[in-house]
Amino acid sequence: MHIISIANQKGGVGKSTLSSLFAYYLADKKSARVLAVDLDSQRNLSHTLRQCGIDIPTTALFADARIDLPAVRKNIALIHATPQLANLERASAEDANRRVQTFAAHLEAMQEEFDYCLLDPPPTLGIRMVAALASADFVTVPIELEEYSTQAVKDMLQTVFGVRQQWNPKLKFMGILANRFMHNSTRQKAALQELFENYQDYVLPLKISTRAAIPRALEEGRGVWQLPTAAARDASAEVLQVFEALMKKMEPVNEEAAVN
Ligand SMILES: Nc1ncnc2c1ncn2[C@@H]1O[C@H](COP(=O)(O)OP(=O)(O)O)[C@@H](O)[C@H]1O
Ligand SMILES: [Mg+2]
């Protein structure tokens, strides 16, 4: 099971949107068995994927009791958020470490049941964000160019590399992803250019524009590539390009080829 987190300490950048779409993509286009875990008490992912709920709350992943997965599931299984999830952030430092380990151990126990696991953390730096990054194999950071600030990007990179150093040396950074791009904004075009230049090695050389078809598809509970409109085709092309790039980043590096 590949564990992926789409993370940012900022809200409104598209974490939950891209997590839902990626879940649909993996299930639809790759026939994969997908586990989606909503770590945000705002519950956006839980709402979008509500048809896929398996009646296990995310709080269970932080508790010691054994978790029994239901035998019959759809190709996407949602572990849903509840308002109580936010209480986790009040744990003492020692308890916090134990909870992060418990979360990782529960996911580890589900390795054979799914091909991919998507973790949608809240927009705060706390236990749940650390748990997501400490358990993930891969992370990508969506940003919104409108509010793009160099400092915010630096802070998030610091978080990712900090957790990697302290908790999870296997964590692979797949790159910053520009989302909600507005074509007709010269300011955003300049910001995108600047991002590509300043963070070359850390940015996916792609973008996803602001497209009404994206929230519309999610409201209907499907991928944007399944909407029949022309506007959805443009959105779909961008989204699929990004997901294909992420799939490439998850391919194992052929070390022999790299050496020779
Ligand atoms: N590419 C996009 N085009 C149009 N709307 C988008 C796009 N990405 C995100 N949104 C919208 O922006 C808002 C915030 O996105 P969301 O995924 O909830 O962000 P986060 O999980 O980072 O807080 C939502 O209303 C969502 O529908
Ligand atoms: Mg969200």
Side-chain angles (χ1 to χ4, degrees):
M1 180 171 82
H2 287 318
I3 307 179
I4 304 149
S5 187
I6 300 183
N8 194 329
Q9 282 155 241
K10 265 185 60 58
V13 294
K15 292 182 294 293
S16 303
T17 299
L18 295 170
S19 296
S20 317
L21 276 176
F22 202 33
Y24 288 136
Y25 168 85
L26 292 166
D28 242 40
K29 305 261 182 200
K30 304 288 163 190
S31 306
R33 299 165 302 165
V34 183
L35 175 67
V37 181
D38 190 354
L39 285 147
D40 190 349
S41 50
Q42 287 184 17
R43 291 170 278 163
N44 292 334
L45 187 79
S46 303
H47 176 73
T48 306
L49 299 179
R50 61 195 177 282
Q51 309 285 0
C52 308
I54 52 171
D55 216 18
I56 295 172
T58 306
T59 45
L61 295 176
F62 290 93
D64 294 327
R66 220 182 86 119
I67 298 175
D68 289 317
L69 290 169
V72 181
R73 300 184 294 264
K74 299 190 174 174
N75 42 10
I76 300 174
L78 166 76
I79 295 192
H80 68 277
T82 46
Q84 292 79 8
L85 247 186
N87 298 341
L88 275 169
E89 302 301 335
R90 296 201 217 113
S92 66
E94 193 187 330
D95 192 31
N97 284 356
R98 210 172 54 81
R99 300 267 186 163
V100 169
Q101 284 160 353
T102 304
F103 181 85
H106 277 303
L107 290 186
E108 178 72 34
M110 296 178 190
Q111 281 282 355
E112 300 302 319
E113 304 281 332
F114 300 95
D115 302 305
Y116 293 91
C117 168
L118 292 168
L119 304 175
D120 184 20
T124 44
L125 178 53
I127 294 179
R128 290 167 293 162
M129 172 75 84
V130 172
L133 296 177
S135 321
D137 303 300
F138 302 95
V139 58
T140 179
V141 173
I143 65 161
E144 187 184 0
L145 288 163
E146 194 55 30
E147 295 178 30
Y148 161 60
S149 85
T150 313
Q151 193 52 48
V153 172
K154 277 195 187 139
D155 289 348
M156 190 59 216
L157 292 181
Q158 208 164 27
T159 300
V160 169
F161 294 114
V163 174
R164 180 161 79 181
Q165 195 174 20
Q166 204 187 330
W167 284 94
N168 185 7
K170 75 178 191 312
L171 179 65
K172 289 209 177 71
F173 182 63
M174 297 198 284
I176 296 165
L177 168 62
N179 182 34
R180 302 183 77 180
F181 175 70
M182 289 193 261
H183 322 260
N184 46 12
S185 159
T186 26
R187 202 181 41 211
Q188 287 217 358
K189 275 190 198 141
L192 189 66
Q193 191 62 32
E194 192 204 300
L195 182 72
F196 286 160
E197 278 165 17
N198 288 352
Y199 290 96
Q200 293 170 28
D201 300 340
Y202 299 100
V203 183
L204 286 165
L206 297 166
K207 59 172 167 36
I208 298 178
S209 305
T210 298
R211 309 269 191 187
I214 290 177
R216 189 171 323 126
L218 294 185
E219 262 165 44
E220 295 182 17
R222 50 187 174 158
V224 67
W225 49 90
Q226 289 171 323
L227 293 188
T229 61
R233 264 202 301 280
D234 294 340
S236 175
E238 280 187 345
V239 166
L240 293 178
Q241 229 188 347
V242 165
F243 291 166
E244 276 150 25
L246 295 181
M247 295 306 284
K248 268 225 147 60
K249 298 253 174 193
M250 287 192 280
E251 281 170 9
V253 181
N254 186 339
E255 279 171 23
E256 224 169 279
V259 171
N260 294 327

Coordinates of all heavy atoms in Angstrom, one line a residue, residues 39-68:
L39 N -8.6 13.5 8.1 CA -8.0 13.9 9.4 C -8.5 15.3 9.8 O -8.1 15.8 10.8 CB -6.5 13.9 9.3 CG -5.9 12.5 9.3 CD1 -4.6 12.4 8.5 CD2 -5.6 12.1 10.8
D40 N -9.4 15.9 9.0 CA -9.8 17.3 9.3 C -11.2 17.3 9.9 O -12.1 16.8 9.3 CB -9.7 18.1 8.0 CG -9.9 19.6 8.1 OD1 -10.3 20.0 9.3 OD2 -9.7 20.3 7.2
S41 N -11.3 18.0 11.0 CA -12.7 18.0 11.7 C -13.7 18.8 10.9 O -14.9 18.8 11.2 CB -12.6 18.4 13.1 OG -11.8 19.6 13.2
Q42 N -13.2 19.5 9.8 CA -14.1 20.2 8.9 C -14.9 19.2 8.0 O -15.9 19.6 7.4 CB -13.4 21.3 8.1 CG -13.0 22.5 8.9 CD -12.4 23.5 8.0 OE1 -12.5 23.5 6.8 NE2 -11.6 24.4 8.6
R43 N -14.3 18.0 7.9 CA -15.0 16.9 7.2 C -15.3 17.1 5.8 O -16.3 16.5 5.3 CB -16.3 16.5 8.0 CG -15.9 16.0 9.4 CD -17.1 15.8 10.3 NE -17.5 17.1 10.9 CZ -18.6 17.4 11.4 NH1 -19.6 16.6 11.4 NH2 -18.8 18.6 12.0
N44 N -14.6 17.8 5.0 CA -14.9 18.0 3.6 C -14.7 16.7 2.8 O -15.6 16.3 2.0 CB -14.0 19.1 3.0 CG -14.4 20.5 3.5 OD1 -15.5 20.7 3.9 ND2 -13.4 21.4 3.5
L45 N -13.7 16.0 3.1 CA -13.4 14.7 2.4 C -14.5 13.7 2.7 O -15.0 13.0 1.9 CB -12.0 14.2 2.7 CG -11.6 12.9 2.0 CD1 -11.1 13.3 0.6 CD2 -10.5 12.2 2.7
S46 N -14.9 13.7 4.0 CA -15.9 12.8 4.5 C -17.2 13.0 3.8 O -18.0 12.1 3.5 CB -16.1 12.9 6.0 OG -14.9 12.7 6.7
H47 N -17.5 14.3 3.5 CA -18.7 14.7 2.9 C -18.7 14.2 1.4 O -19.6 13.6 0.9 CB -19.0 16.2 3.0 CG -20.2 16.6 2.2 ND1 -21.4 16.4 2.6 CD2 -20.3 17.3 1.0 CE1 -22.3 16.8 1.7 NE2 -21.6 17.4 0.7
T48 N -17.6 14.6 0.7 CA -17.5 14.2 -0.7 C -17.6 12.7 -0.9 O -18.2 12.2 -1.8 CB -16.2 14.8 -1.3 OG1 -16.1 16.2 -1.1 CG2 -16.1 14.5 -2.8
L49 N -16.9 12.0 -0.1 CA -16.8 10.5 -0.3 C -17.8 9.8 0.6 O -17.6 8.6 0.9 CB -15.4 10.0 0.0 CG -14.2 10.6 -0.9 CD1 -12.9 10.0 -0.4 CD2 -14.5 10.3 -2.3
R50 N -18.9 10.4 1.0 CA -19.8 9.8 2.0 C -20.4 8.5 1.6 O -20.7 7.7 2.4 CB -20.9 10.8 2.4 CG -21.8 11.3 1.2 CD -22.6 12.5 1.6 NE -23.4 13.0 0.5 CZ -22.9 13.7 -0.5 NH1 -21.6 14.0 -0.6 NH2 -23.7 14.1 -1.5
Q51 N -20.5 8.3 0.3 CA -21.0 7.0 -0.2 C -20.1 5.8 0.1 O -20.4 4.7 -0.1 CB -21.2 7.0 -1.8 CG -22.0 8.2 -2.3 CD -23.5 8.1 -2.0 OE1 -23.9 7.1 -1.4 NE2 -24.3 9.1 -2.4
C52 N -18.8 6.2 0.4 CA -17.8 5.1 0.5 C -17.5 4.9 2.0 O -16.5 4.2 2.3 CB -16.5 5.5 -0.2 SG -16.8 6.0 -1.9
G53 N -18.3 5.4 2.9 CA -18.0 5.3 4.4 C -18.0 3.8 4.8 O -18.8 3.0 4.3
I54 N -17.1 3.5 5.7 CA -17.1 2.1 6.2 C -17.3 2.1 7.7 O -17.0 1.1 8.4 CB -15.7 1.4 5.9 CG1 -14.5 2.2 6.4 CG2 -15.6 1.0 4.4 CD1 -13.2 1.4 6.3
D55 N -17.9 3.2 8.2 CA -18.3 3.2 9.6 C -17.2 3.1 10.6 O -17.4 2.6 11.7 CB -19.4 2.1 9.8 CG -20.5 2.5 10.8 OD1 -20.6 3.8 11.0 OD2 -21.1 1.7 11.4
I56 N -16.1 3.6 10.2 CA -14.9 3.7 11.2 C -14.5 5.2 11.2 O -14.2 5.8 10.2 CB -13.7 2.8 10.7 CG1 -14.1 1.3 10.7 CG2 -12.5 3.1 11.6 CD1 -13.1 0.4 10.1
P57 N -14.5 5.8 12.4 CA -14.1 7.1 12.5 C -12.6 7.3 12.6 O -11.9 6.3 13.1 CB -14.7 7.6 13.8 CG -14.8 6.4 14.7 CD -14.9 5.2 13.7
T58 N -12.0 8.4 12.1 CA -10.6 8.5 12.2 C -10.0 8.5 13.6 O -8.9 8.1 13.8 CB -10.2 9.9 11.5 OG1 -10.8 9.8 10.1 CG2 -8.7 10.0 11.3
T59 N -10.8 8.9 14.6 CA -10.3 8.8 16.0 C -9.9 7.4 16.3 O -9.0 7.2 17.2 CB -11.4 9.3 17.0 OG1 -12.7 8.7 16.6 CG2 -11.6 10.8 17.0
A60 N -10.5 6.4 15.7 CA -10.2 5.0 16.0 C -8.7 4.7 15.6 O -8.1 3.8 16.3 CB -11.1 4.0 15.3
L61 N -8.2 5.4 14.6 CA -6.8 5.2 14.2 C -5.8 5.7 15.2 O -4.6 5.4 15.2 CB -6.5 5.9 12.9 CG -7.3 5.3 11.7 CD1 -7.0 6.2 10.4 CD2 -7.0 3.9 11.4
F62 N -6.3 6.6 16.2 CA -5.4 7.1 17.2 C -5.6 6.4 18.5 O -4.9 6.7 19.5 CB -5.7 8.6 17.4 CG -5.2 9.4 16.2 CD1 -6.1 9.8 15.2 CD2 -3.9 9.9 16.1 CE1 -5.7 10.5 14.1 CE2 -3.5 10.6 15.1 CZ -4.3 11.0 14.0
A63 N -6.5 5.4 18.6 CA -6.8 4.7 19.8 C -6.2 3.3 19.7 O -5.9 2.8 18.6 CB -8.3 4.6 20.0
D64 N -6.0 2.7 20.9 CA -5.3 1.4 20.9 C -6.1 0.2 20.4 O -5.5 -0.8 20.0 CB -4.8 1.1 22.4 CG -3.7 2.1 22.8 OD1 -3.0 2.6 21.9 OD2 -3.7 2.5 24.0
A65 N -7.4 0.3 20.6 CA -8.2 -0.9 20.2 C -8.0 -1.4 18.8 O -7.8 -0.5 17.9 CB -9.7 -0.6 20.5
R66 N -8.0 -2.7 18.6 CA -7.9 -3.3 17.3 C -9.0 -2.8 16.3 O -10.2 -2.5 16.8 CB -8.1 -4.8 17.4 CG -7.1 -5.6 16.6 CD -7.5 -7.0 16.8 NE -8.6 -7.4 15.9 CZ -8.4 -8.4 15.0 NH1 -7.3 -9.0 14.9 NH2 -9.4 -8.7 14.2
I67 N -8.7 -2.6 15.1 CA -9.8 -2.2 14.1 C -10.1 -3.3 13.2 O -9.2 -3.9 12.6 CB -9.3 -0.9 13.3 CG1 -9.0 0.2 14.2 CG2 -10.3 -0.6 12.2 CD1 -8.4 1.4 13.5
D68 N -11.4 -3.6 13.1 CA -11.8 -4.7 12.1 C -12.4 -4.0 10.9 O -13.5 -3.4 11.0 CB -12.8 -5.6 12.8 CG -12.1 -6.5 13.8 OD1 -11.0 -7.0 13.5 OD2 -12.7 -6.6 15.0

